Amino acid sequence: MDWWIEPFTLGFEQRALIGGALAGLMSSIVGTWLVLRGMSFFGDAFVHGVVPGIAAAVVLEINPVIGAAVAALVMVLLIEVVNRQTSLTEDTGIGLLFVGMLALGVVIISRLSTFSGSLTTILFGDALGVTTNDLWAQGILALAIIIVTTALYRPLLALSFNRDKAELLGMRPKATHAALLILIAAAVIGSFQSVGTLLVFGLLVGPPAAAALLARTVPRMMLISAGIALVSVWLGLTLSYHLGTAGSATMALMPIIIFFLVLTIVRLRLVFAKRTAVERAEYV
Amino acid sequence: MSDLHSHHDHSGAAEAVLAEELVLGHNSHIAVHASSFFIPAGKVTTVIGPNGSGKSTLLHAIAGLISPLSGSLRVLDAQPQTRREHISYVLQNTTVPVGTPITVAETVMMGRYPGLGLMRRPSKLDRARVSEAMEKLRITDLAKRHLGELSGGQRQRVYVAQGIAQDHDLLLLDEPLTGLDIGSAQTIDEIIHQEPEGGCTVILTTHDLDEARASDFVVLLAGRVIAAGPPAAVLTNEHLLTAYGLGGLHRSEDAEPTTDHHHHDHSDHDHQHGH
């Protein structure tokens, strides 16, 4: 038992745990809608899209959260421009911005040799370097995300059901979609300092995807997803402590492993259920 | 029961839909060329035509989801977009993803969202309308089931229940009977023909000539409205030949009215817009 709690006697490990847990909570709630709307690729692009903003903030010595927010805004606007001004499909616009923003981030960082370590920090986070102030900011964002998603439950549900239906029911799909983009941005920005931009994606998609295999309703999907995220964060930090591996990456790996475990169990149960049914039928 | 439906102020209007030189499409692609026609209020109207003839486009326009490229379209005596709270539209069932974790009861309750808005809790009336709709469609025992676990026919019944749980004077259904098991098709067909009893107008699209013959009014589409009127007047060999290019498909000799649960009172239909 000591093995499981030993890491968290250290202050920075405690902060890493709380930071990871808050990141997991935000990501689970927003990620549930992301997965249901089939926007995983957008989410992937988004977490890379904020890199140049953070890099520029590091260079200009301003708050990286502001840099990330500006980059997120630029990214969403440019994707919309590609969408509206060309007949190309949405994923082309997302792909263009994905590569463009990531490359720009690397270009900005490479300009300053003293910050050579920063790219790794931005992409993979620094779970063990999270400060108490970071946690407060993260906590406030998490609360805001919970309040907004609760208020927008019906529009979001109608939108993931069908865009036209949402429109017909007066649930304003365009505004809802825009709100969802802001929520994704908030979750990414709120989480990247503890888990890194690349690994936020692991928490954004991994736990909700695993939860989707088990849940019958959206609120339950969020709850299961949050549970999986919390277990992932704790398990990841514990393993990283004992194995001496990178904290954020070990955390981000967990939900993906859990997803495939859940998938295997669900499938096996289905096979057994069928076999039992067949055997029963044969004995009748 | 009909007093549960909130609005009936249009049951007195002569037409539910009035189109003049109406052109529909997306950008440069024209789906329905200039057509003028009306659809009577308080009756069952089928829109029939080959694939790609513009049936869904027409329903989308009536529901106010798309605007006409030119010409005018009036629904319940006004612009379609302004009539949204009087219109319930059951979309073609292929347009809804089945992966969303949502129960049958919650899906039907979505029909009450226009009145509930973001936060209001469902009232007794809302719950009554939902359970009434589920009973009519025989899905009460499926209430707690996941949408993805249902058969195609069961799912279509859920979507129709969602449609009738919504307040409406005009019910639109896009191919509600295509590809269903007989039981589900019969259940939905009964609902369609019951709706006018409460003063409601029903417009549905179909591929089925028999379904069109059983309705009160028919709009024959093939890139434009070929004919609109009572089934006997519309589903003639000549019209079907124009629309499909091959005559009446089968039984072309009895394109005349079959038996008669049809209403023939449209021929002397007058054009008053009075209330």
Side-chain angles (χ1 to χ4, degrees):
Chain A
M1 197 58 214
D2 278 351
W3 196 85
W4 296 107
I5 47 173
E6 186 194 328
F8 305 109
T9 53
L10 300 163
F12 64 85
E13 286 282 4
Q14 283 169 13
R15 286 194 295 277
L17 181 66
I18 298 171
L22 286 171
L25 189 64
M26 291 192 252
S27 304
S28 290
I29 293 167
V30 174
T32 293
W33 293 115
L34 186 87
V35 166
L36 290 180
R37 289 272 291 131
M39 286 168 63
S40 295
F41 185 47
F42 175 86
D44 189 12
F46 206 87
V47 298
H48 292 84
V50 296
V51 170
I54 299 167
V58 170
V59 171
L60 300 171
E61 292 179 10
I62 55 172
N63 190 340
V65 168
I66 295 169
V70 171
L73 190 69
V74 169
M75 171 128 182
V76 169
L77 288 179
L78 287 179
I79 290 174
E80 274 302 295
V81 167
V82 176
N83 260 351
R84 291 190 186 182
Q85 301 299 320
T86 71
S87 56
L88 298 166
T89 55
E90 189 169 22
D91 63 334
T92 308
I94 294 172
L96 282 173
L97 267 297
F98 179 165
V99 177
M101 296 295 265
L102 185 59
L104 181 63
V106 176
V107 165
I108 292 174
I109 287 169
S110 65
R111 188 73 186 76
L112 281 132
S113 51
T114 44
F115 287 105
S116 57
S118 297
L119 183 63
T120 327
T121 311
I122 293 171
L123 287 178
F124 299 103
D126 184 12
L128 305 180
V130 175
T131 65
T132 315
N133 277 346
D134 291 342
L135 291 182
W136 276 111
Q138 221 185 332
I140 291 166
L141 261 181
L143 193 65
I145 285 175
I146 291 171
I147 292 170
V148 175
T149 36
T150 307
L152 294 182
Y153 177 72
R154 282 173 189 157
L156 284 165
L157 185 66
L159 181 60
S160 56
F161 188 78
N162 181 288
R163 198 188 179 96
D164 283 334
K165 196 76 202 183
E167 172 93 45
L168 294 162
L169 295 172
M171 292 284 116
R172 314 199 33 201
K174 270 190 191 152
T176 309
H177 184 72
L180 182 56
L181 296 186
I182 293 170
L183 285 167
I184 295 169
V188 171
I189 291 167
S191 305
F192 79 84
Q193 278 176 322
S194 48
V195 279
T197 60
L198 188 64
L199 300 179
V200 173
F201 188 58
L203 290 179
L204 213 47
V205 174
L213 301 174
L214 300 167
R216 278 162 180 275
T217 64
V218 174
R220 202 162 300 171
M221 181 169 160
M222 286 176 179
L223 277 180
I224 296 173
S225 171
I228 291 172
L230 293 183
V231 167
S232 300
V233 167
W234 168 63
L235 201 58
L237 284 174
T238 306
L239 288 175
S240 91
Y241 175 84
H242 289 293
L243 304 175
T245 52
S248 315
T250 316
M251 271 197 289
L253 200 54
M254 294 301 123
I256 317 300
I257 293 172
I258 292 175
F259 172 84
F260 283 104
L261 267 179
V262 171
L263 181 64
T264 310
I265 292 167
V266 168
R267 285 283 143 204
L268 282 179
R269 245 179 40 191
L270 207 68
V271 169
F272 278 116
K274 257 186 200 153
R275 190 172 299 165
T276 319
V278 170
E279 276 168 9
R280 213 173 278 154
E282 277 169 358
Y283 284 121
V284 171
Chain B
M1 171 181 62
S2 64
D3 58 338
L4 287 174
H5 293 269
S6 64
H7 312 284
H8 287 298
D9 47 338
H10 291 281
S11 48
E15 299 96 6
V17 175
L18 185 62
E20 271 158 31
E21 294 300 309
L22 176 67
V23 179
L24 296 173
H26 306 279
N27 302 324
S28 55
H29 172 75
I30 292 180
V32 177
H33 289 82
S35 302
S36 300
F37 61 94
F38 71 88
I39 290 173
K43 307 281 180 195
V44 176
T45 295
T46 46
V47 177
I48 189 167
N51 283 328
S53 59
K55 299 190 294 290
S56 296
T57 310
L58 178 60
L59 283 199
H60 271 53
I62 293 171
L65 284 173
I66 58 168
S67 300
L69 292 179
S70 73
S72 89
L73 176 65
R74 293 184 68 77
V75 175
L76 305 174
D77 270 339
Q79 297 282 337
Q81 281 87 353
T82 65
R83 281 290 176 226
R84 204 158 266 168
E85 63 212 73
H86 300 264
I87 303 170
S88 178
Y89 182 6
V90 180
L91 298 164
Q92 209 169 324
N93 57 11
T94 51
T95 60
V96 178
V98 295
T100 311
I102 183 172
T103 61
V104 167
E106 195 171 16
T107 307
V108 179
M109 183 57 90
M110 282 172 85
R112 306 302 299 164
Y113 279 6
L116 290 172
L118 292 186
M119 303 297 271
R120 206 165 307 137
R121 289 187 50 153
S123 67
K124 250 185 200 164
L125 172 73
D126 293 316
R127 294 184 193 286
R129 284 292 299 275
V130 167
S131 50
E132 182 202 338
M134 296 212 299
E135 255 160 51
K136 274 190 178 175
L137 272 302
R138 295 176 195 158
I139 52 171
T140 307
D141 52 331
L142 302 176
K144 292 212 162 69
R145 295 279 289 279
H146 187 302
L147 210 50
E149 300 168 344
L150 307 184
S151 73
Q154 288 171 328
R155 213 174 295 139
Q156 181 65 20
R157 279 187 276 152
V158 174
Y159 298 148
V160 174
Q162 185 189 55
I164 64 168
Q166 189 179 344
D167 289 331
H168 61 276
D169 299 306
L170 173 57
L171 180 65
L172 308 173
L173 307 102
D174 197 0
E175 302 203 13
L177 303 169
T178 304
L180 298 191
D181 57 284
I182 292 174
S184 294
Q186 276 175 347
T187 306
I188 294 171
D189 193 55
E190 265 171 41
I191 300 290
I192 288 170
H193 290 274
Q194 273 169 20
E195 279 283 309
E197 289 168 16
C200 182
T201 306
V202 182
I203 305 173
L204 66 144
T205 62
T206 184
H207 283 287
D208 184 4
L209 270 176
D210 290 330
E211 182 65 25
R213 287 196 182 95
S215 63
D216 304 315
F217 201 82
V218 178
V219 175
L220 181 62
L221 259 185
R224 67 184 171 85
V225 173
I226 306 287
V234 172
L235 300 172
T236 63
N237 263 346
E238 190 195 344
H239 286 150
L240 292 173
L241 189 67
T242 314
Y244 291 87
L246 37 72
L249 303 173
H250 51 89
R251 297 197 305 165
S252 54
E253 70 283 354
D254 67 11
E256 303 203 17
T258 44
T259 48
D260 255 37
H261 45 280
H262 304 311
H263 306 272
H264 289 283
D265 52 350
H266 301 298
S267 42
D268 57 349
H269 179 83
D270 60 8
H271 278 258
Q272 280 176 2
H273 290 248
H275 286 265

